Each structure stands twice: as C-alpha cells, then as structure tokens.
Amino acid sequence: MNPVGASTDEVDASTDESREVRSGEVGRGEAHAPGGSPVESLAERAAALDAADELAAYRELFVLDETVYLDGNSLGALPRSVPGRVADVVARQWGELRIRSWEESGWWSAPERLGDRIAPLVGAAPGQIVVGDSTSVNVFKALVGAVRLVQGREQRSTGALDKEVEGQSTDARGNGVDSPAPPARDGSAALDAPPVRDEILVDASTFPTDGYIAESAARMTGCRLRPVEPGEVRAALGPRTAAVLLNHVDYRSGRQHDLPGLTAAVHEAGALAVWDLCHSAGALPVGLDEHGVDLAVGCTYKYLNGGPGSPAYLYVRREHQPRFDSPLPGWNSHAEPFGMQARYAPAEGALRGRVGTPDILSMLALEAALDVWEGVSVEAVRAKSLRLTDFFLECVAGYVPPGRVETVTPLAHAERGSQVALRCPDAGEVMRRLIARGVVGDFRHPDVLRFGFTPLYVGFAEVERAAKALAEELA
C-alpha cells in the first residue's frame, strides 16, 4: 500500500511507451503535476491523451451519457448493438419461429459458439470454453473437476481403477455408476504408495463466494481446504495438494497475481490450477493456453459488457477434456441429449461443462455485446488501461489533499489490474457524494473506494474530472 503523501521505491522504471507513477510523484499534495507544470495542465494533458487514443472511437459503440462511469469492473456499459439484437430474439426468433429457433436460430449451439468468441480474449484456442450458468456454478464444476482429474490420475498410477470398486453408486434408476469414493486417508494404502492428494488451496482473500464454493467442493471430494494468501501459495504446495483456486486480479485491491509463475509452481507440485478471471478477462492478456492453465472460469458482465446476470464461462484445457468429470452432469452435456438415456454418458470436449437448458435471452444479449471486440487487440486494451490508471494516480497525487487517501492497488504495472483502489476512512459516504455529482465508482467495506477503467469507453478527460471531483469532496 502506498499512502498519498509518502514515497515508495516499489515502482518499476518508466518506459517510453507506458509511464508509471514514480516515488516522487505520489501524493506530494502539491499544486503541480510532474515536471513542475501547473496543476491546470492535467486537463490539457488529458485532452492530448484523448486525441492520441487509438481506442477512442470505440466509445461510440456504447450507450453512455455525461456521467463519468468508472464501475465497469462491476457492470459494463450497454453496447448499442444489444437492444436491437434482443428485440429480434424476442419478437422474431421466439415470437415467430418459436421452437424452431433451437435449430434455425442457433440457440442450441450458443454455449460453445460464444465460448469460441471469448476464447481469443483470454488466450485460448477454440473448443475449450463453454458459456452458461453463473460464475459460482462454474467455480464448483471446475474445482471439483480438477480434484477428480488429479485423484483419478493418482488412482490410475497405482492401478486402483483397474480393480472393482466396492459400494458402487447407482443413478436414479438403479444403474451402476463408476464413481470411486475419494482415496482413503487412514494410512491403509500400501506403504510405498505416494501421499493421497486430498488438499485444496484457495486464495484467502478471494471473493467470498469462491471460498464458500471451495469449502463445499472440499467436502464433496473428501479434501481438506487450506486458505492461503497468493504470495504464500508456493510455500504451501505439497505432495497432498490436489488443486489450487486463485484469482487473476483481486476484486478489492486490483492486484494482479502471477498467473504464469503460480501455474508453473502448482504443476511442479503435481496439482492442477483453477483460475478465476472475472476481473481480468477483457482488461488484460491472460494466456490460458500459453501458460498451461488447467481450468478457468469467468463472468461476462464486467469488462465483456454482457449485461446484468449474463452467463459465465468455463474453460477446460483440451488435454483434460476426455477425463473431465463434472459434478453437475445434465442432459445438455450428455453425448445423446435427446436420447433420454437413464445412464449418463458425457459428451466429447468442452460440452461436458454444460448442464441444463441455456439462458437464451441473456446469452444472445452477450453474443451481441461481444461484437464490440471485432478488430480490437487485448494488448491495445491493456496498454490503454495502464495509461488510464497511471494518469488517474497522477491526478489524485496532484489534486487530493495530502494524507487523505491511501493507494491500495500496486503501482507496478505487472501487479496491477484495470482498477485503482483507494483507502479512505469515510469511503462509503464519499462514494455516495461522488455518484450524486456524476462520478460513478463503488465502495467496498470497510474503507475502500474502487474505480474501474474500461479502456473501450473510458477517456482521459473523464479520469481527470473524476480525480478533481474526489479532491473537492475530500477537501
């Protein structure tokens, strides 16, 4: 954390392409911008940055007004393409074609079709992402699935799966189901057998739902749950670790965690990595395939602008798909969904992540929202995101009275997502006043102001205006 008014030596050196806020520039509380120029030049610099912004034209693709909207990390703005598309889905596809639209309008294939559109935004090849259900449900599927993959691998290595499973479970119609119980934890295994992988690590500072789901997943799989801070994951990994659930970007602080390095460490320990991408997808490069991520989940209503309650997605790395065993098998993920078989047989590929009937209205609204990404590179979005957050921190340092706020978000680019979190004793009331005057961010208990920067529609003049309004409220 970096108090405005104090110095820091934790900031990376500036580069020609993307200049970071440096130690002498943070929170001096002086009426000058870096370089000795009068503070009024911040508005002039904002105008120059907007004029040079290669993504500026994309703002016109969204329904926006004079409000400074810095809450896209909670709910993205409405793309202009969505209302007309939804109207067509309701009036023509549903109203006229009715049941025929499952085939003629492509409703049935929407989950995987949308998954392939999201794939390049998170660095994945086609055929590995399926859209549907909520983030919470997908966390459950991914985490239980990861543990089952690891425990199944361990059992295969010892030949356990070649033996008859006692107490075989049955489905609702009495058919046998090959579902071995979790490995024994009482030391009854052979003395030369490796330790049972019966432990799940979870980000201790995670969004609460991820923790709740992880606890339930641990109970279902016979595992012990260990909450650890992301910085302590490497030390916590061991021969009993089955899976690790981590957030790419922390929802409260905006800290970006080391996805490549932590994934490699998890693999070196023999476990699988599950990543929550809710606060990174659509804001920065993820590189799921490149970095060997095993499973991942994410929402679509933040930086992907899918709308309130839009469906989430599940990524299952291709090499894991043949053995991915979802804890929520449904008719939509059956190999013959219309065969109405009593015995479950999973479909091939990422389709195993489907469960029930897709939420067509919200799913097709999301499909329209994804149109704004045509021709946009995630790298360009990331570059602008860093310029926006750098400039906001610079404006806060230039405008806000010394000692009034404290930056929680890391200053180093490699550790920063696309939001800035400021600690302020009366944060809730301050945010209410900011919203009343047309600057919308949000508040996280007990004392954090969050400002999210969506590069496709946030401009630099808005950033300067927001920082100035904050300073006036804190004066």
Side-chain angles (χ1 to χ4, degrees), residues 73-115:
N73 54 330
S74 287
L75 177 64
L78 171 66
R80 292 186 183 276
S81 59
V82 171
R85 190 79 59 84
V86 171
D88 177 71
V89 172
V90 172
R92 184 181 62 84
Q93 297 181 26
W94 179 14
E96 297 176 13
L97 296 178
R98 293 178 286 276
I99 196 71
R100 293 162 51 194
S101 276
W102 284 105
E103 181 177 350
E104 295 180 27
S105 300
W107 289 1
W108 183 261
S109 60
E112 56 266 33
R113 184 174 71 247
L114 270 66

Side-chain angles (χ1 to χ4, degrees), residues 132-143 207-214 217 245 276 278 297-299 301 311-313 328:
D133 305 312
S134 66
T135 305
S136 300
V137 171
N138 282 306
V139 168
F140 184 70
K141 288 187 284 188
L143 192 54
F207 189 75
T209 289
D210 283 15
Y212 307 153
I213 296 294
L245 173 61
D276 184 330
C278 285
V297 303
C299 68
Y301 49 78
Y313 56 90
L328 295 173

Side-chain angles (χ1 to χ4, degrees), residues 308-325:
S310 59
Y313 56 90
L314 170 68
Y315 165 89
V316 182
R317 189 170 182 83
R318 196 177 310 280
E319 67 190 68
H320 294 313
Q321 291 175 7
R323 296 189 183 276
F324 177 68
D325 181 10

